[in-house]
Amino acid sequence: MTQPASSAIQPTHQPLLARRTSKRWLISAILTTAIVALPILSALYLAFFPEENIWPHLIDTTLPRYLTTTFQLMLGVMALTLIIGVASAWVVTMCEFPGRRFFEWAMLLPFAFPAYVIAYVYTTLLDYAGPVQILLRDTFGWSTAQDYWFPEIRTLTGATLMIGLVLYPYVYLLARAAFLEQSPSLFAVSRSLGHSALSTFFRVVLPIARPAIAVGLSLVLMETLNDFGTVDFFAVQTLTAGLFDTWMNLGNLGGAAQIATIMLTFVVILVTLERYSRRKQAQFATRDNRNPIQRFRISRRQQTLCLAICLLPFLFGFVIPAIALVHYAIDYFDESWNSTFFENTLNSLFLSGTAALTTLLIGVTLAYSRRLHDTRGMQILLRLSSLGYAMPGAVLAVGVIIPLAGFDNWLDSLMRNQFGVSTGLLLSGSTFALVFAYTVRFLAVSAGSVESALQKVTPSMDMASRSLGQSPGGTLRRVHLPMLRGTLLTAALVVFVDCMKELPATLILRPFNFDTLATYVYQFASDEQLAHSALPSLIIVIAGIIPIILMSRSIGNSRDIG
């Protein structure tokens, strides 16, 4: 008699328990978003209420130069990456030429190089004391720099070339994915009307792929705004360099926050323009967009042109820098292979691994909360939590240090007054600040990947699990996580590599006498000792190649392109 009663009571309590558990996920998402948004709010607050307002001084002196140089750099990098990325994506996707299958994935390899590493390499190769100019002097009998003209690498143009060579894969990746998703019937109709491959590209393909290209360009411009190592090494005075100078050299955190606010304004404008450019475009998949692509059969001269379009950026963006690093690493291996190198490698692995795990946990929480509460409010929360990815590392460092330093000062004052003990810098002077900054900056990678994967799981699986008595957490643990194992691994790997390369935030937030591979390379290169930084640079590059292979496979498998 008791068993039926128990069975009758259980269904009435389970929905209530499920609602309570579901609310916990919602509350977790709200708290997580608030913590992630804290650096942005902190930077804005300090910018408007600084202890010492140097805004008029910045406007009268350095700010116009920072703005002009930043705009010129972003415009140059945008033009370079647009030309290289779109042209190479088109010929690899739609034209048949020798080496096409190799370049499908090889065009992504320059992405493994941080911009500051490739800048250090080419400066060493092309400077007056570098091997290129030495060879020219020996060959033609020149003795001094007055005997010949050679382009100066440490200029705004040089910085544009260096950054563009490693960032064009953003445009290539998204443009190629867009080209692969287009219907073969569009190409067939264009060919039947007598259009060549080039005419079809400009009249049919490019307008349809414009939204994807716009997203790629916005990512390129954000990364350009974030760059510090290249512009600092080339003495190019951008907003990022100005932020470091105002904070580190002038000791004015409020002025740095004001420059950070301008950089945030740049980011908001970029995101707004990207979304505005595709506001009226709605595209839908056709039935034949999974059919094999019929590539254009082109002449031998055109094949040579296609080969050059792919070979030149691959050669200058990956092959030459890689050969130089390997050469220097071998020559200076005994000097580089030391306890400091191992210590810095372990520091990088620890920080990157911790940040990857943290972003993964938070990303799963946010994405699953969105699945449980698919409302307009949750969509806004998810977007707010992804703002960190658009924030330059230097801006993020300003926003992180303000609340953490405030908490440290408050706790230290409290402990001094109550117990006569100084706690010092518990958070702002520790690796916690770095992990926090990494998590905020790269949370969008994990949250976006998990959300996209969860959307492909049918809701009927959730309902079946819940009908068997599983809570939302049990459903996630027993049903979703096993299905998302590959997505989680890929997302964690991408975040791990991004953290390995991150330089601006690491330089500002790292504890005293604490270095990562990125800061280790930066210090040697700043002292004109690239050869000693070759081995740690290679470790960063090798780590970056792994997610590139995964991305290339995912794109290639998205469609039968044989």
Side-chain angles (χ1 to χ4, degrees):
M1 298 294 292
T2 56
Q3 184 67 28
S6 176
S7 300
I9 293 174
Q10 188 174 2
T12 61
H13 286 281
Q14 278 188 337
L16 179 61
L17 179 61
R19 285 196 299 270
R20 289 177 179 174
T21 307
S22 182
K23 286 183 178 179
R24 292 172 190 166
W25 285 91
L26 178 61
I27 294 173
S28 299
I30 294 174
L31 291 177
T32 300
T33 304
I35 294 173
V36 170
L38 185 60
I40 304 176
L41 299 177
S42 300
L44 291 175
Y45 175 82
L46 186 60
F48 287 103
F49 304 101
E51 295 182 2
E52 179 185 357
N53 185 18
I54 64 170
W55 185 249
H57 173 72
L58 290 174
I59 293 178
D60 294 336
T61 55
T62 58
L63 189 59
R65 182 168 66 252
Y66 293 153
L67 287 170
T68 301
T69 307
T70 301
F71 180 75
Q72 291 174 339
L73 180 65
M74 295 174 70
L75 192 63
V77 172
M78 181 182 69
L80 184 61
T81 55
L82 177 66
I83 294 172
I84 297 176
V86 174
S88 57
W90 167 247
V91 299
V92 163
T93 305
M94 294 304 305
C95 300
E96 196 63 62
F97 63 96
R100 180 191 60 79
R101 287 189 176 273
F102 169 76
F103 286 113
E104 282 182 354
W105 60 271
M107 294 302 295
L108 292 172
L109 288 178
F111 196 46
F113 272 93
Y116 53 86
V117 170
I118 202 173
Y120 303 154
V121 170
Y122 276 108
T123 300
T124 302
L125 294 177
L126 301 178
D127 261 354
Y128 180 79
V132 174
Q133 292 202 48
I134 290 177
L135 178 63
L136 290 175
R137 290 195 295 270
D138 292 343
T139 303
F140 297 99
W142 297 325
S143 58
T144 65
Q146 285 72 30
D147 296 336
Y148 64 99
W149 176 86
F150 196 85
E152 176 60 47
I153 185 67
R154 299 195 190 196
T155 60
L156 177 61
T157 302
T160 301
L161 291 173
M162 297 301 100
I163 298 174
L165 280 175
V166 299
L167 292 185
Y168 81 82
Y170 274 120
V171 180
Y172 169 82
L173 191 70
L174 293 171
R176 182 170 175 246
F179 296 156
L180 288 173
E181 288 296 321
Q182 293 184 14
S183 170
S185 61
L186 295 175
F187 309 133
V189 171
S190 178
R191 288 197 294 267
S192 68
L193 294 175
H195 291 293
S196 64
L198 188 62
S199 176
T200 300
F201 171 74
F202 282 108
R203 292 174 177 266
V204 179
V205 177
L206 191 59
I208 298 177
R210 192 178 70 181
I213 296 172
V215 173
L217 287 176
S218 66
L219 292 173
V220 165
L221 294 177
M222 290 177 191
E223 290 296 330
T224 303
L225 190 62
N226 177 59
D227 182 85
F228 172 71
T230 307
V231 298
D232 176 66
F233 193 63
F234 283 10
V236 177
Q237 295 182 323
T238 62
L239 286 169
T240 304
L243 188 153
F244 270 82
D245 183 63
T246 303
W247 189 355
M248 299 301 179
N249 296 333
L250 300 181
N252 194 301
L253 183 57
Q258 290 170 336
I259 295 178
T261 303
I262 298 177
M263 297 174 71
L264 283 175
T265 303
F266 266 80
V267 170
V268 171
I269 292 174
L270 289 175
V271 174
T272 303
L273 289 176
E274 182 268 319
R275 292 186 177 179
Y276 181 81
S277 68
R278 54 188 175 94
R279 69 194 186 284
K280 294 182 179 180
Q281 292 196 359
Q283 300 179 14
F284 303 94
T286 58
R287 292 183 178 180
D288 64 342
N289 71 338
R290 297 295 174 185
N291 295 337
I293 291 177
Q294 300 299 320
R295 294 185 180 86
F296 291 98
R297 301 292 176 178
I298 54 180
S299 64
R300 188 174 298 276
R301 183 178 180 181
Q302 292 172 327
Q303 290 180 12
T304 304
L305 177 61
C306 291
L307 184 61
I309 289 174
C310 296
L311 181 61
L312 290 178
F314 172 67
L315 182 66
F316 289 101
F318 183 79
V319 176
I320 294 177
I323 292 175
L325 285 181
V326 171
H327 172 72
Y328 288 129
I330 293 174
D331 285 352
Y332 290 83
F333 181 81
D334 292 336
E335 298 179 34
S336 301
W337 191 263
N338 52 40
S339 58
T340 304
F341 168 74
F342 285 112
E343 181 181 352
N344 295 332
T345 302
L346 290 176
N347 290 341
S348 291
L349 294 176
F350 167 74
L351 288 174
S352 301
T354 304
L357 180 60
T358 305
T359 55
L360 205 60
L361 293 175
I362 297 177
V364 170
T365 300
L366 291 173
Y368 193 59
S369 299
R370 163 77 187 279
R371 186 176 180 87
L372 296 175
H373 301 274
D374 192 9
T375 62
R376 180 65 175 172
M378 274 303 305
Q379 294 177 12
I380 295 175
L381 286 178
L382 206 60
R383 287 185 179 179
L384 287 175
S385 67
S386 301
L387 285 177
Y389 193 67
M391 291 177 65
V395 176
L396 190 59
V398 174
V400 167
I401 203 68
I402 295 170
L404 295 187
F407 174 81
D408 283 342
N409 291 332
W410 170 82
L411 182 62
D412 184 71
S413 176
L414 177 65
M415 296 299 290
R416 282 177 182 270
N417 294 333
Q418 296 294 328
F419 306 102
V421 177
S422 175
T423 57
L425 301 177
L426 292 179
L427 298 182
S428 55
S430 67
T431 56
F432 175 85
L434 278 173
V435 174
F436 182 38
Y438 290 167
T439 302
V440 173
R441 176 146 167 69
F442 301 115
L443 178 60
V445 176
S446 61
S449 300
V450 176
E451 183 190 15
S452 177
L454 279 175
Q455 289 176 349
K456 299 177 182 179
V457 180
T458 174
S460 61
M461 301 193 70
D462 296 65
M463 291 185 284
S465 176
R466 299 290 290 276
S467 67
L468 295 173
Q470 291 293 326
S471 64
T475 301
L476 174 65
R477 185 174 62 257
R478 295 170 180 256
V479 178
H480 294 300
L481 290 183
M483 299 176 64
L484 301 178
R485 190 178 296 115
T487 298
L488 297 177
L489 179 61
T490 302
L493 190 58
V494 172
V495 172
F496 178 87
V497 173
D498 283 338
C499 293
M500 291 276 288
K501 296 191 294 184
E502 172 60 36
L503 179 62
T506 310
L507 281 174
I508 295 176
L509 297 174
R510 60 185 172 140
F512 182 70
N513 283 337
F514 184 93
D515 280 310
T516 64
L517 288 175
T519 60
Y520 190 54
V521 170
Y522 170 78
Q523 289 176 355
F524 271 116
S526 299
D527 295 334
E528 306 290 342
Q529 299 180 20
L530 173 69
H532 294 81
S533 68
L535 184 60
S537 297
L538 273 179
I539 299 300
I540 296 176
V541 172
I542 292 172
I545 291 177
I546 300 174
I548 287 175
I549 295 174
L550 294 177
M551 286 188 291
S552 178
R553 286 183 176 180
S554 65
I555 293 177
N557 293 335
S558 65
R559 179 172 180 173
D560 181 12
I561 56 174

